[in-house]
């Protein structure tokens, strides 16, 4: 009887996690459609600018081709989109503002996993307006909160207790990331790691997250395809001497991540000091983003096309996706960081994880190009440095070293650079010294209100 009871309990848990994954997968699919619609009608339709796309990004509408982009539209569109998103959040779901991952972390630790149902549609529409109008923000922040909201809503519908609600909320978070990034394993591990800035994980949610992320990814792929988000040449690692240049890369991305966090925090503090209505602040940030975008439109929107270009620098695939010079890679790195801080730290609805990927890819590729010129005999590949740079930058700024290693492999389909990714992530995470872009993360499980008295 005891074994039968365990089987029923396990079966019930699997069903709930699968249902969470189904809901999150459908929500992520709807969110992606909103993003593409906003990008098509706002950036392409009004500003006559079609941002570069990653190889695996599905363009749901025919790409508009215009002879010249409208600079004045690129200047004002991010501000208008940010204000529209802020007003939507203000009147319908106040907890849906800012970068959603931090809100989901806060809900896990301090709200017993409760996320109001209204957050799901409002976060999706507000973020689509911000990103689709050119705001520099990632899609992962909104989709983590949307997915977490799906798990929380299901738990509320079934009147589950706080512990079970937290599990379904985290499983939904994993499902959202796994679906949108087409990285189901990384999504599950991300959900286990993201709640802590120190070396700790939520081991109770790992198995539920694997189930939910698998289902959500499957649902999303049925709509938008099974291909990885990016493609790149089949770079390998076969020379142990190359660990030395990769060590240099680890130092570069670790301090680059600290720079990202510092700029974000400074803009956040300045935004709090502005004596204007809260919904006006994202408009000011959007205007500053648009100012950068007038001269460097690549940094507008999610910027995943930049990652695709960085992964193919100095390779035959560069002819297909467009090449990036060393100077442009550094400009993109700094431009993306400041544009993201202006967009999101001012209160705009969007994520900071995606821009970390873009910044890490640009900085990694730039480091690879520079080292190739300095040491041509080593036969280094800048595209490989872009992939490993993404992983290291994530490990240092978001504090998810294991998820970062697996994610860059899944989103590129390249599993042959695991060793340098492990090396760079380990060093960059250690050098990060607990700095994190997410305020709501706590150091370890012992610091979390969710585990007090457990």
């Amino acid at each position: 009887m005891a074994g039968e009871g365990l089987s029923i309990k396990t079966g019930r848990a699997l069903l709930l996690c699968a249902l969470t994954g189904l809901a999150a997968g459908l929500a992520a699919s709807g969110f992606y459609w909103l993003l593409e619609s906003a990008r098509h009608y706002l950036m392409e339709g009004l500003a006559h600018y079609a941002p570069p796309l990653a190889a695996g990004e599905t363009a749901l509408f025919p790409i508009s081709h215009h002879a010249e982009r409208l600079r004045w539209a690129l200047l004002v569109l991010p501000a208008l989109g940010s204000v529209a998103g802020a007003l939507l959040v203000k009147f319908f779901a106040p907890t849906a503002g800012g970068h959603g991952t931090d809100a989901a972390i806060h809900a896990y630790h301090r709200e017993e996993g409760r996320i109001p149902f209204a957050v799901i549609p409002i976060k999706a529409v507000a973020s689509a307006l911000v990103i689709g109008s050119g705001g520099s923000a990632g899609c992962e922040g909104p989709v983590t909160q949307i997915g977490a909201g799906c798990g929380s809503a299901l738990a509320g519908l079934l009147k589950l207790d706080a512990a079970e609600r937290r599990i379904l909320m985290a499983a939904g978070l994993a499902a959202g990331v796994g679906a949108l990034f087409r990285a189901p394993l990384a999504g599950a591990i991300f959900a286990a790691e993201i709640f802590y800035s120190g070396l700790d994980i939520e081991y109770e949610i790992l198995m539920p997250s694997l189930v939910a992320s698998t289902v959500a990814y499957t649902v999303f792929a049925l709509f938008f395809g099974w291909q990885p988000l990016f493609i790149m040449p089949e770079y390998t690692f076969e020379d142990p001497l190359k660990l030395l240049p990769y060590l240099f890369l680890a130092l570069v991305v670790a301090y680059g991540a600290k720079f990202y966090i510092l700029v974000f925090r400074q803009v956040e503090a300045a935004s709090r000091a502005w004596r204007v209505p809260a919904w006006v602040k994202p408009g000011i940030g959007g205007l500053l983003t648009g100012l950068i975008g007038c001269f460097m439109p690549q940094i507008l929107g999610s910027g995943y096309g930049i990652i695709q270009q960085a992964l193919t620098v100095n390779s035959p695939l560069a002819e297909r996706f467009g090449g990036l010079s060393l100077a442009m890679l550094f400009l993109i790195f700094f431009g993306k960081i400041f544009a993201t801080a202006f967009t999101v730290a001012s209160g705009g609805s969007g994520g900071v994880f995606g821009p970390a990927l873009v910044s890490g890819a640009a900085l990694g590729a730039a480091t690879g190009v520079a080292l190739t010129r300095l040491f041509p005999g080593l036969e280094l590949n800048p595209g490989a440095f872009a992939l490993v740079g993404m992983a290291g930058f994530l490990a240092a700024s978001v504090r998810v070293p294991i998820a970062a290693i697996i994610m860059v492999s899944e989103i590129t389909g390249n599993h042959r650079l695991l060793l340098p990714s492990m090396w760079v992530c380990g060093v960059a995470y250690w050098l990060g010294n607990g700095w994190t872009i997410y305020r709501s993360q706590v150091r370890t499980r012992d610091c979390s209100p969710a585990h007090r008295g457990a």
Side-chain angles (χ1 to χ4, degrees), residues 24-25 44 52 86 105 112 122 158 217 256-257 301 307 312 386 446:
E44 290 188 23
I105 296 170
E112 297 185 336
I122 299 304
L158 299 177
Y217 166 72
I307 298 176
T312 56
D446 291 337

Side-chain angles (χ1 to χ4, degrees), residues 20-40:
T20 299
L22 175 62
L26 291 171
S29 301
F31 177 50
Y32 186 79
W33 180 85
L34 284 172
L35 284 170
E36 280 296 297
S37 300
R39 179 187 61 80
H40 176 73

Side-chain angles (χ1 to χ4, degrees), residues 327-338:
M328 182 54 70
L329 285 165
F330 278 119
L331 284 173
I332 287 172
F333 169 72
F334 287 106
K336 191 64 180 177
I337 284 177
F338 279 98

Side-chain angles (χ1 to χ4, degrees), residues 370-406:
L371 289 175
T372 298
R373 294 179 181 177
L374 290 171
F375 307 103
L378 286 178
E379 298 181 354
L380 302 174
N381 297 304
F385 272 65
L387 181 147
V388 177
M390 279 196 292
F393 202 94
L394 285 181
S397 62
V398 183
R399 313 301 293 169
V400 287
I402 302 173
I405 295 166
I406 295 170

Side-chain angles (χ1 to χ4, degrees), residues 12 16 155 159-169:
R12 173 177 172 272
L16 290 178
K159 295 181 170 52
L160 302 182
D161 61 27
E164 291 176 308
R165 188 188 306 110
R166 283 193 178 98
I167 288 174
L168 289 190
M169 192 216 89

